[in-house]
Amino acid sequence: RRKHQRIIIDVDSIMRFIVFHISWILLTWHYVETFTLSSSRTQRFKFILESKGDKVREATGIRPSLHPITINAISEALKRNLRVCDGVEPIEIATATGSLVTEFLTKRRETSDKDGMEFNTQEEQTIAGRILGVVLRFDELETTLHERASSVSWVKKYNEWESFGVLCDDSEANTRIKEDPLFVMNRAECLLALFIDTIEAPKLSEIGETVAGGSNIDFIDSDRLEVLLGSQNN
């Protein structure tokens, strides 16, 4: 019973943060005006799906990474096609995303109870804010992702589109998202990286704040990261 009560309290805290984050988007980032807007990879995919806290990490005091659960949730949002479009208001997507966040964090608590590596309130708020921030900007971030991948010659030459979770003609991406777990995972990783680099980090720097775990993008290999950050354009 106590465990159940704790979960309800945490979820309420997350939902309050989500409401705050929506206001932040609408008022500070002017969202309303713009919303129309290999084997090694297989192993990485498996790690993300199975990642959870462990005894070694608990003993060292190192906090668990926030990225795996965030990437998994964004992947699920892509599969569910949670996006703002004609006839669908941002608040509707925000509400559905809030339910998705609750679903993933509740499952995470069930596994982390066994090893003592539960996320704290600040970590859960960071996870919730990132998921919501990415989902509400799917179209904007996906456009940027495709533009940056298209601007690099080796992506075209070696047909590495899928490593970024995009297609040369990305209008057909929804079909691949539904059918290919690795494709959607790559896309979710890249969208999260772009969100942190172009939206979260600059905004936090502007207001002099930080988030739990920091805004480091340490979940993507260097080749893709150079493309995503715009440091490689040939």
Side-chain angles (χ1 to χ4, degrees), residues 215-232:
S215 297
N216 297 324
I217 305 172
D218 55 6
F219 51 91
I220 283 191
D221 57 88
S222 59
D223 288 341
R224 289 190 299 160
L225 189 58
E226 287 181 357
V227 174
L228 294 173
L229 301 189
S231 56
Q232 183 180 136

Side-chain angles (χ1 to χ4, degrees), residues 145-157:
L145 173 57
H146 195 272
E147 288 175 348
R148 295 196 178 178
S150 300
S151 69
V152 180
S153 60
W154 63 261
V155 174
K156 303 173 187 176
K157 181 177 181 180

Side-chain angles (χ1 to χ4, degrees), residues 47 51 57 63-69 108 119 127 218-219:
F47 168 77
S51 181
R57 183 183 287 146
R63 299 300 304 162
S65 173
L66 312 188
H67 301 315
I69 186 174
R108 180 63 175 80
F119 292 125
I127 291 166
D218 55 6
F219 51 91

Side-chain angles (χ1 to χ4, degrees), residues 34-220:
T34 59
F35 71 85
T36 54
L37 312 161
S38 75
S39 64
S40 61
R41 289 201 175 111
T42 301
Q43 290 301 315
R44 173 172 53 79
F45 173 59
K46 181 179 180 183
F47 168 77
I48 289 173
L49 288 179
E50 298 178 350
S51 181
K52 61 178 72 174
D54 57 66
K55 290 293 185 181
V56 173
R57 183 183 287 146
E58 180 182 3
T60 61
I62 299 174
R63 299 300 304 162
S65 173
L66 312 188
H67 301 315
I69 186 174
T70 306
I71 293 166
N72 284 334
I74 293 171
S75 297
E76 184 60 27
L78 285 166
K79 293 175 187 176
R80 297 183 188 183
N81 200 28
L82 297 181
R83 61 180 67 237
V84 178
C85 58
D86 291 341
V88 181
E89 296 296 326
I91 191 63
E92 297 178 62
I93 299 303
T95 301
T97 304
S99 298
L100 180 68
V101 169
T102 300
E103 174 186 333
F104 271 76
L105 287 177
T106 300
K107 289 180 179 178
R108 180 63 175 80
R109 291 190 192 99
E110 292 173 355
T111 59
S112 60
D113 274 350
K114 299 177 182 178
D115 54 39
M117 290 305 292
E118 292 181 278
F119 292 125
N120 59 40
T121 301
Q122 291 73 27
E123 290 166 339
E124 290 190 343
Q125 288 178 347
T126 299
I127 291 166
R130 284 175 175 167
I131 296 168
L132 180 64
V134 171
V135 171
L136 287 178
R137 290 174 178 76
F138 267 157
D139 287 350
E140 174 188 343
L141 293 170
E142 286 170 331
T143 297
T144 301
L145 173 57
H146 195 272
E147 288 175 348
R148 295 196 178 178
S150 300
S151 69
V152 180
S153 60
W154 63 261
V155 174
K156 303 173 187 176
K157 181 177 181 180
Y158 298 107
N159 196 28
E160 284 289 329
W161 299 99
E162 295 183 14
S163 66
F164 293 88
V166 298
L167 300 173
C168 183
D169 179 6
D170 212 41
S171 63
E172 302 177 5
N174 282 341
T175 300
R176 290 297 302 276
I177 286 171
K178 295 176 182 178
E179 298 175 351
D180 188 339
L182 184 56
F183 179 87
V184 70
M185 192 71 71
N186 287 338
R187 193 180 187 94
E189 285 181 334
C190 292
L191 294 177
L192 177 59
L194 285 173
F195 174 79
I196 293 174
D197 180 62
T198 64
I199 298 173
E200 178 185 283
K203 186 61 188 178
L204 290 173
S205 177
E206 177 185 329
I207 64 177
E209 296 289 345
T210 60
V211 293
S215 297
N216 297 324
I217 305 172
D218 55 6
F219 51 91
I220 283 191

